[in-house]
Amino acid sequence: MVVKPIINLATKYTDDVIGIGVRKWTKPTNLEGLRLAPKITKDTVCISQNCPQKIMKLVDTLPVKVIPKEGLQMIDEVSLGTSYIMDLAIPSFNARLANGMGTIKSKLMSLPLDNKTLQAIKNANSSDELSFLLKDIFAKQFKDTLIKTNKVFYNNTLPAVEKQRLISAIKKEDFSWTFNMYKALSLKSTNPRVLEIEKILKQKYGMDFVALNDDVIHAEKLLRACELMHKNGDKLVKNYIVTDMMPATGKCLGTESAVLHSSTNLDKILNPCGTEGLVAKTNELHTILHEFGHFLQPSNIDTITIPKHLEHVRATVSDYAKISGNAELFAELFAKIRLTPEKVTKEELELFEFLKSAISI
């Protein structure tokens, strides 16, 4: 399938990409567009309130034609990649649905989705039918969010402050939608060990909502990751969900929640043959620690200009850090520092501290 070469990279990139057309899949780049955005001085659209509904209506009025042709093509390719990955997960998700389809449908029907979507969920009679419907729902949300952020990013009538406010609102809405959807798809664990770990995560580490979906392998890794974070005084997430219906290895949702792919299909998603050397996969906690790293980074992480004497350090962290923006670089650095501190160079530590201490906006 043509989409395979971009699957492993494209889906994860979109966690932090603002302008999809800015990034090239074939060579290392930074999000230069957003960093240079403050130079824009044209007329602005006035945003008097931070009301998400009003902001979303304003974004809907912005023209799609401002997105470069290359950007639109890349959005289509990334969307195709997410659909492909979710296809891989449908068999295992179907197995879970068999034990709780009625419960999941009921929870989905209680969400503020559009009437057409709610009716389609209601009419889904089999787990297979519901699974493919959910795949389409997630794929549409994913693509719509990319289009919205790029409409803002490439619109030269908006100065940097307005762009950042709009993009923050778009992300906030997407994070809320995503969390509520995955929460609705979660079933209560029944495995004694998983239940024990969920209890520890709540009582010892202060998590509010934990749904590990009876994934013992992931639960054990998560517990070890939290122990390591706690030992180092790092902030932990409040909500954590493990799911099969995840179009990536993991995703952080703002500053409070994380959704990670179950261990069932993780090897298929990582596709070792296509990502050799991409990240420090040698440590089985890498994916979890990487996502946790996103919760500790400044909100303006991708607008930060890295000092020239540290620019080369990106390539020493991992291949993924080399071809990604500052957000993924930070998360890769954090995972490396926590998991293999003996391998961290002085320059890598200097770069991490520089990014971490940058003033949030």
Side-chain angles (χ1 to χ4, degrees):
M1 183 175 285
V2 177
V3 73
K4 274 193 173 183
I6 67 166
I7 288 172
N8 299 295
L9 307 183
T11 52
K12 189 64 185 70
Y13 282 161
T14 50
D15 285 353
D16 297 283
V17 166
I18 306 290
I20 195 76
V22 175
R23 194 184 304 274
K24 304 289 186 182
W25 302 120
T26 56
K27 64 179 181 179
T29 63
N30 293 316
L31 288 176
E32 294 295 324
L34 189 56
R35 184 166 68 80
L36 298 175
K39 295 182 180 180
I40 297 172
T41 58
K42 295 184 179 181
D43 294 337
T44 178
V45 175
C46 181
I47 304 173
S48 59
Q49 301 181 37
N50 285 324
C51 174
Q53 291 182 340
K54 290 185 177 180
I55 289 179
M56 289 308 108
K57 287 182 179 179
L58 187 148
V59 171
D60 288 339
T61 65
L62 296 176
V64 176
K65 64 182 180 180
V66 300
I67 305 175
K69 183 179 180 180
E70 179 189 21
L72 290 172
Q73 181 180 354
M74 206 170 287
I75 288 173
D76 287 337
E77 290 176 349
V78 172
S79 299
L80 184 60
T82 62
S83 293
Y84 174 80
I85 288 179
M86 294 186 82
D87 277 338
L88 295 177
I90 282 179
S92 57
F93 183 70
N94 277 346
R96 298 189 192 282
L97 270 181
N99 296 321
M101 184 167 170
T103 300
I104 287 178
K105 282 185 65 174
S106 178
K107 290 194 291 183
L108 287 171
M109 291 295 295
S110 69
L111 297 180
L113 303 173
D114 62 89
N115 292 332
K116 184 178 180 180
T117 300
L118 291 173
Q119 189 62 45
I121 292 172
K122 183 179 180 180
N123 293 338
N125 295 316
S126 66
S127 60
D128 197 58
E129 186 178 352
L130 182 58
S131 292
F132 280 98
L133 172 62
L134 287 168
K135 184 201 78 169
D136 291 341
I137 292 172
F138 276 107
K140 183 179 184 303
Q141 172 71 14
F142 186 81
K143 185 173 183 178
D144 287 349
T145 299
L146 279 179
I147 290 175
K148 286 178 181 178
T149 55
N150 280 273
K151 281 166 60 176
V152 172
F153 181 83
Y154 285 107
N155 196 311
N156 289 334
T157 65
L158 302 172
V161 173
E162 305 295 347
K163 286 189 176 188
Q164 290 171 358
R165 190 182 302 182
L166 284 168
I167 289 170
S168 293
I170 293 168
K171 283 191 171 186
K172 184 177 181 180
E173 181 191 53
D174 179 58
F175 291 160
S176 177
W177 184 94
T178 302
F179 176 74
N180 287 328
M181 283 293 292
Y182 282 121
K183 187 175 182 180
L185 296 181
S186 300
L187 294 172
K188 290 183 178 180
S189 297
T190 58
N191 182 285
R193 178 53 179 163
V194 175
L195 288 170
E196 180 185 8
I197 291 176
E198 288 182 347
K199 184 176 181 180
I200 293 172
L201 294 173
K202 291 177 181 179
Q203 294 185 350
K204 184 176 181 180
Y205 297 117
M207 291 190 182
D208 293 332
F209 181 80
V210 185
L212 304 184
N213 287 319
D214 278 329
D215 191 331
V216 180
I217 296 175
H218 194 114
E220 294 287 0
K221 291 179 182 179
L222 175 59
L223 182 59
R224 287 163 52 200
C226 288
E227 290 170 348
L228 182 60
M229 295 277 288
H230 182 70
K231 178 182 177 181
N232 285 280
D234 299 319
K235 176 187 175 183
L236 287 166
V237 297
K238 290 294 183 182
N239 307 298
Y240 195 99
I241 298 175
V242 175
T243 182
D244 295 305
M245 294 293 284
M246 181 73 198
T249 56
K251 185 179 180 72
C252 70
L253 307 176
T255 59
E256 296 293 327
S257 308
V259 181
L260 273 88
H261 204 287
S262 67
S263 60
T264 312
N265 294 298
L266 194 55
D267 287 341
K268 294 179 183 178
I269 305 305
L270 285 174
N271 188 12
C273 293
T275 59
E276 190 63 36
L278 183 63
V279 295
K281 299 193 302 297
T282 51
N283 192 300
E284 60 182 0
L285 301 185
H286 179 272
T287 301
I288 297 174
L289 266 293
H290 174 103
E291 293 306 322
F292 280 173
H294 283 303
F295 292 95
L296 308 178
Q297 64 194 26
S299 61
N300 63 326
I301 185 72
D302 270 319
T303 68
I304 299 169
T305 302
I306 295 176
K308 288 187 178 180
H309 75 283
L310 293 176
E311 287 179 349
H312 72 283
V313 178
R314 181 187 298 274
T316 71
V317 181
S318 70
D319 285 349
Y320 183 50
K322 180 180 178 181
I323 59 177
S324 299
N326 292 347
E328 300 305 319
L329 168 62
F330 183 94
E332 283 290 280
L333 276 168
F334 176 76
K336 185 174 184 178
I337 289 170
R338 287 291 175 262
L339 295 172
T340 55
E342 71 282 358
K343 295 182 180 180
V344 179
T345 67
K346 290 183 179 179
E347 288 182 323
E348 288 174 340
L349 189 59
E350 181 184 352
L351 176 56
F352 178 76
E353 292 299 329
F354 171 80
L355 292 171
K356 185 178 179 180
S357 62
I359 300 174
S360 298
I361 56 177

